[in-house]
Amino acid sequence: MNANTDLTGTPLPPEDSNSANITGTQPPNTTALFPTGSRRERPGALALSIGFGLVAVCLIGLFTSPSAAIGGAWCIGMMLVLLFLSVPVAIALSVPSIIGVYAVSGIPATMNILSIAPFSAVSDWSMSVLPMFIFMGMLLTQSGLSGKVYRVADHWFSWLPGGIGIGTTFAGAGLSAVTGSTIGMTYALGRAGIPEMLKAGYDRRMAVGTIMVSGMTGNLIPPSILMVVYAGIASVPVGPALMAGAVPGILLAVCFAVFIFAIGVIAPKLVGRGQSAQNPTNTTGTTRPTTTWRDRFISLTGIWGFAVILVVLFGGMFSGIFTPTEAGAAAALCSLLLCLWEKRGDGPWRKVTGSAMDTVAATSAIFFIMIGATMLTSLLAITGLAPILTGFITDLGLSRIGFLLVLIVLYIIMGMFFDTLSMMLLTIPILLPTLEAMGVSPLWFGVFVVLLGEFAMVTPPVGIIPYIVHSIAKNPEVNLGVTVTLRDIFVSLLWFLPVGVIFLILMVVVPGMTEWLPDLISRTSGGMSG
């Protein structure tokens, strides 16, 4: 995988591609469900030479280590080098782990891991919800729902100060939750939302800033594939893990919407209020049409299928009729029927077949990565590195809040180099033993890690999202003649990111927001483990 592909190896859309057209008039060229496997282009000859040299150093250090723990540290170093070389995450996790177990414990332990880890990593029944959610996202993407969701949000919120930005924020949260891809949502929403906001007279920095933060909450709001993956790594029930992210995800979207509303009240010119609806620098002469109440209600008819799916998914779990796995299967069936209906006469079965093949590819890729994470956990146990790291952290004397604040800094730095999934798989096996000692709930920590990963993707100077939005905004059809520089992108982040930082601190101070909904559903439905 490289910076131009998703986990399935499917190419991501180019900056001027029509595949990101959110109107749904053209089928997307990709159904990516995850951020890219790497932030960088393929390494050059010099980088490869240095990288393989470092791998050789790690191997020599491993086989000459005076203790198993030091050997484990060399393996961690080897994993980091392989990840920097854009080696697929599954290989970067599993190969050093296998070599490390062989170096420390010999052939019998190595054969034991090779025979047990692949099955134990993915055989838990709760993981069967993963292909259901992926299939649902693929089908909803193919059905053209994305454009309709955006239009509904636009119609219903555009009358507020900053209303188009507010609608874009909620549409982005919904789209990234359904598709599972912050990057894919950014491509689609950026091409549709930026010109709409510029037509309404929005400041260019408000327009691009709104797009960049719109997808940060999507991987928290169910169905969240990253939360399912976290549940598998951390061995927590899938149902509570899914529900734990719902309230924080919705609250963060509301926080960004309130911020945009406040800007609309305090500085109305930034959101096109009190001036012509047409941007004075708009050289195309295009303007936004007036939205009537009739338009608003008519727009709702286009997403009736999405409403049915939400009722099946959440109503089934809340009532206790469905377990999370059964709810995922029922929602996938509804998505299948919706796709067949929406694409009738346009090769619906071809789209279903393509979605099924993409689901198999994406699920296989995730399962391979989880096998690698299981092997890493085995390595940490065999070498004794995990208890050493736990003891080191606890000996620092940090309080729970101090420990979590340090993790915030650590994850933001890691986010400059790795995507959310890579950070989760690399750090969760190491940190899980420490969480218990620090009194941190595994459910809460899953939400914390996923949100930090999304936060890191928009953090300058190396976060991937600002550069994606900048490339989109260079398209004349998107910017409508307005020049959007990289400096504008970074300035807009200075406006929006403090909201995210404040919310992260609020999560640390009020951890109960993540466990309230899972507890409520557990009491009302009698449990939701599978």
Side-chain angles (χ1 to χ4, degrees), residues 209-271:
T210 301
I211 296 297
M212 283 188 285
V213 300
S214 291
M216 286 181 62
T217 61
N219 279 309
L220 293 176
I221 301 172
S224 169
I225 297 173
L226 287 182
M227 290 303 298
V228 175
V229 172
Y230 172 81
I233 302 171
S235 299
V236 298
V238 171
L242 283 170
M243 293 298 104
V247 172
I250 294 171
L251 285 179
L252 182 56
V254 170
C255 286
F256 282 125
V258 169
F259 172 75
I260 296 171
F261 177 82
I263 293 294
V265 173
I266 298 171
K269 287 187 178 181
L270 293 179
V271 295

Side-chain angles (χ1 to χ4, degrees), residues 293-314:
W293 281 102
R294 182 174 182 273
D295 295 332
R296 293 187 177 101
F297 284 106
I298 289 177
S299 69
L300 291 176
T301 62
I303 61 168
W304 63 268
F306 187 49
V308 170
I309 291 171
L310 291 179
V311 170
V312 170
L313 187 63
F314 294 108

Side-chain angles (χ1 to χ4, degrees), residues 50 213 286 303 380 416 433 498:
I50 296 174
V213 300
T286 56
I303 61 168
L380 295 174
M416 297 180 180

Side-chain angles (χ1 to χ4, degrees), residues 24-49:
T25 57
Q26 300 187 20
N29 294 330
T30 177
T31 45
L33 283 181
F34 285 93
T36 56
S38 170
R39 298 295 176 83
R40 302 158 300 284
E41 300 291 337
R42 292 186 183 277
L46 178 60
L48 285 173
S49 300

Side-chain angles (χ1 to χ4, degrees), residues 198-457:
L198 291 178
K199 288 177 189 177
Y202 274 56
D203 184 276
R204 61 191 184 281
R205 293 163 294 186
M206 281 297 298
V208 296
T210 301
I211 296 297
M212 283 188 285
V213 300
S214 291
M216 286 181 62
T217 61
N219 279 309
L220 293 176
I221 301 172
S224 169
I225 297 173
L226 287 182
M227 290 303 298
V228 175
V229 172
Y230 172 81
I233 302 171
S235 299
V236 298
V238 171
L242 283 170
M243 293 298 104
V247 172
I250 294 171
L251 285 179
L252 182 56
V254 170
C255 286
F256 282 125
V258 169
F259 172 75
I260 296 171
F261 177 82
I263 293 294
V265 173
I266 298 171
K269 287 187 178 181
L270 293 179
V271 295
R273 306 285 285 195
Q275 60 182 359
S276 171
Q278 180 178 335
N279 192 312
T281 58
N282 181 355
T283 59
T284 65
T286 56
T287 58
R288 282 177 52 86
T290 302
T291 301
T292 65
W293 281 102
R294 182 174 182 273
D295 295 332
R296 293 187 177 101
F297 284 106
I298 289 177
S299 69
L300 291 176
T301 62
I303 61 168
W304 63 268
F306 187 49
V308 170
I309 291 171
L310 291 179
V311 170
V312 170
L313 187 63
F314 294 108
M317 284 192 287
F318 265 105
S319 64
I321 297 174
F322 294 142
T323 65
T325 300
E326 293 165 347
L333 175 60
C334 292
S335 301
L336 171 62
L337 298 176
L338 176 65
C339 184
L340 292 175
W341 173 258
E342 292 289 343
K343 293 301 177 180
R344 61 192 184 280
D346 188 24
W349 286 109
R350 176 171 48 84
K351 297 183 184 300
V352 170
T353 302
S355 297
M357 296 298 293
D358 289 338
T359 299
V360 171
T363 304
S364 301
I366 295 170
F367 280 176
F368 273 117
I369 290 172
M370 293 184 65
I371 290 169
T374 301
M375 290 181 174
L376 171 59
T377 302
S378 300
L379 171 73
L380 295 174
I382 290 173
T383 59
L385 192 59
I388 291 175
L389 291 173
T390 301
F392 172 76
I393 294 173
T394 53
D395 290 343
L396 292 176
L398 295 173
S399 64
R400 172 186 169 277
I401 293 180
F403 169 67
L404 295 174
L405 292 177
V406 170
L407 284 186
I408 290 176
V409 176
L410 173 65
Y411 273 99
I412 289 176
I413 293 174
M414 290 185 66
M416 297 180 180
F417 309 102
F418 305 121
D419 58 65
T420 306
L421 188 61
S422 300
M423 289 191 290
M424 288 172 56
L425 294 165
L426 188 62
T427 59
I428 289 171
I430 297 174
L431 292 173
L432 275 177
T434 309
L435 299 180
E436 184 177 354
M438 289 289 179
V440 177
S441 164
L443 278 182
W444 180 92
F445 188 70
V447 177
F448 184 68
V449 167
V450 171
L451 180 56
L452 273 178
E454 296 297 299
F455 193 88
M457 290 183 69

